Amino acid sequence: MKITIKEVAQAANVSIATVSRVLNGKNKVKPSTREKILHAIESLNFQPDQNARTMINKTTKTVGMLVPELKNEYWMLLLDVIQKELWEQGYTLIIGSTDHQVEKETAFVKSFVEKRVDGIIYSSSVMESAEEMSGIIQLAKKYDIPMVTLNPSISQANCVFGDHIQGASDATEHLIGLGHRHIAYIGGRSVSTKRELGYRNAFMMNNLVVNEALIQRIPGLPTFEAGYEAAHQLLLSGEPFTAIFCGNDVLAFGTIKALEEHGKSVPGEIAVVGYDDVHSARLLKPALTTVRQPIQEIGRSLVELIMDSSSKNLNQTVPKKIIYRMQLIVRDSCGAGLKKEVKN
């Protein structure tokens, strides 16, 4: 049988109002009285009604975060940063993984709204149109739930994002600087399209022409298996290439595996560059050259914007955009340390 606040008050020999003040963190309670109430709560194993507390405090001290997948180490690292930052603020995190499915994304946002979370961190959207995304944003606004996103195309919400065009362009420029001209790209819709744009931008800036046959757009999730299959298809195509730029590190791991199975040495015959700089990138043999995202800074900024938005009227807040530069991390897989010329 559930213990009520009335029974706690009787056990502590105080009024229900005094118990309520203690539960809600009010200061106008004598230390000795507070101690009696806390002892009664513990001895009776009293569990406060969360819905009732939410109605009183107008807050649940929770934030919902939507991510496209949990298999990619990048999202796990970002979630870890955000959860720690929220915990220090007295908040807990609820996670929804969509697997890049529109139905799951919509369902999770509706669930966050029903739970009356104090904010939503919304990762790259899988919605097909601005109208669909606008519907999600408006749903949150209807219930005064602030939303921060990692997708700069969602103009109605505060946003934190990396300059992926710059990051991908730097990675491709690096390969071009090493003498490569036939550079393949493995990416797709589930990877930021800005990375393919950066790849193309580097070619344009160097007066080079992209060979469209060397672009592999994976149809599903950007997994190890997808990278393996895409590299396999590139090798079967017969198109010459000496380097591959992958849209994320996981794709690069699968790519290197496929190249090795086809007897292609990395970086001796084929250079490989990834994106994200997950922890596993430095443990790979050869260690992966990649583009590092400032995960700590991005995570902190997302939390700061959520906390800032929670204290303001959403209808009067002009959306903020915070952008971070990416950093090229040169390791072994690109062949930068080799002393021979690339044969194209």
Side-chain angles (χ1 to χ4, degrees):
M1 182 176 176
K2 186 173 174 128
I3 300 298
T4 67
I5 191 172
K6 181 179 179 181
E7 290 170 287
V8 172
Q10 290 174 341
N13 195 28
V14 298
S15 69
I16 293 175
T18 303
V19 176
S20 180
R21 284 198 293 274
V22 170
L23 291 174
N24 294 309
K26 305 298 182 183
N27 294 323
K28 296 180 179 180
V29 179
K30 291 193 299 184
S32 58
T33 303
R34 184 184 300 277
E35 187 64 32
K36 283 199 306 181
I37 292 171
L38 291 175
H39 177 73
I41 288 172
E42 183 177 358
S43 62
L44 294 172
N45 194 26
F46 172 67
Q47 299 295 323
D49 188 301
Q50 186 59 48
N51 291 330
R53 294 189 68 178
T54 297
M55 291 177 67
I56 294 170
N57 298 326
K58 305 298 183 183
T59 179
T60 60
K61 291 290 184 179
T62 60
V63 170
M65 181 167 180
L66 214 59
V67 296
E69 57 178 309
L70 291 175
K71 291 182 180 179
N72 189 330
E73 188 182 339
Y74 167 79
W75 293 110
M76 298 302 292
L77 293 171
L78 183 60
L79 284 168
D80 184 58
V81 173
I82 289 171
Q83 182 166 265
K84 287 177 180 176
E85 291 292 323
L86 285 172
W87 184 259
E88 290 181 3
Q89 300 278 352
Y91 285 72
T92 55
L93 182 66
I94 303 173
I95 301 164
S97 177
T98 68
D99 295 322
H100 297 268
Q101 296 179 27
V102 174
E103 296 80 8
K104 285 187 177 181
E105 182 169 293
T106 303
F108 274 122
V109 171
K110 288 182 177 178
S111 176
F112 291 158
V113 170
E114 289 171 359
K115 289 179 170 61
R116 295 294 193 273
V117 296
D118 298 317
I120 296 174
I121 299 174
Y122 188 57
S123 69
S124 299
S125 176
V126 296
M127 297 296 186
E128 294 288 351
S129 68
E131 183 179 352
E132 286 179 310
M133 290 189 289
S134 177
I136 293 293
I137 301 296
Q138 293 306 317
L139 178 62
K141 282 191 173 184
K142 179 181 178 181
Y143 292 94
D144 287 337
I145 300 175
M147 181 178 283
V148 176
T149 177
L150 285 153
N151 188 344
S153 64
I154 303 176
S155 60
Q156 308 101 311
N158 289 335
C159 183
V160 180
F161 60 100
D163 190 343
H164 298 305
I165 292 180
Q166 168 258 315
S169 182
D170 286 355
T172 310
E173 284 267 10
H174 177 68
L175 290 169
I176 292 172
L178 292 174
H180 296 281
R181 296 297 179 268
H182 302 297
I183 305 169
Y185 174 73
I186 297 176
R189 184 173 175 272
S190 57
V191 179
S192 171
T193 54
K194 298 292 192 300
R195 298 176 194 183
E196 183 178 330
L197 288 175
Y199 160 84
R200 291 179 178 277
N201 182 65
F203 272 80
M204 181 183 69
M205 295 300 292
N206 287 274
N207 296 314
L208 299 174
V209 178
V210 172
N211 180 356
E212 299 296 335
L214 291 180
I215 294 180
Q216 287 282 316
R217 297 186 184 93
I218 58 173
L221 300 180
T223 61
F224 177 96
E225 293 77 14
Y228 178 93
E229 180 60 27
H232 178 69
Q233 292 302 320
L234 281 171
L235 291 163
L236 292 180
S237 72
E239 292 288 335
F241 63 92
T242 60
I244 304 177
F245 171 46
C246 298
N248 71 22
D249 289 344
V250 179
L251 290 171
F253 298 156
T255 292
I256 290 173
K257 179 66 174 176
L259 292 172
E260 289 175 346
E261 288 189 3
H262 280 265
K264 302 291 184 181
S265 66
V266 178
E269 295 177 82
I270 307 291
V272 177
V273 175
Y275 202 104
D276 288 336
D277 193 30
V278 298
H279 286 158
S280 304
R282 69 203 68 178
L283 304 177
L284 195 69
K285 297 294 182 183
L288 185 66
T289 293
T290 184
V291 177
R292 176 178 293 168
Q293 295 206 53
I295 294 176
Q296 293 285 335
E297 292 83 353
I298 289 173
R300 289 193 193 103
S301 292
L302 287 166
V303 172
E304 286 172 4
L305 284 178
I306 280 289
M307 296 295 102
D308 185 51
S309 300
S310 297
S311 62
K312 295 180 179 179
N313 186 319
L314 294 180
N315 295 322
Q316 297 176 358
T317 301
V318 177
K320 296 180 180 178
K321 306 292 180 184
I322 299 175
I323 184 168
Y324 285 98
R325 283 187 62 82
M326 304 291 103
Q327 179 185 6
L328 179 66
I329 304 299
V330 178
R331 297 194 180 103
D332 300 330
S333 67
C334 64
L338 298 180
K339 298 288 186 181
K340 65 178 184 178
E341 294 182 2
V342 176
K343 295 180 180 180
N344 282 282

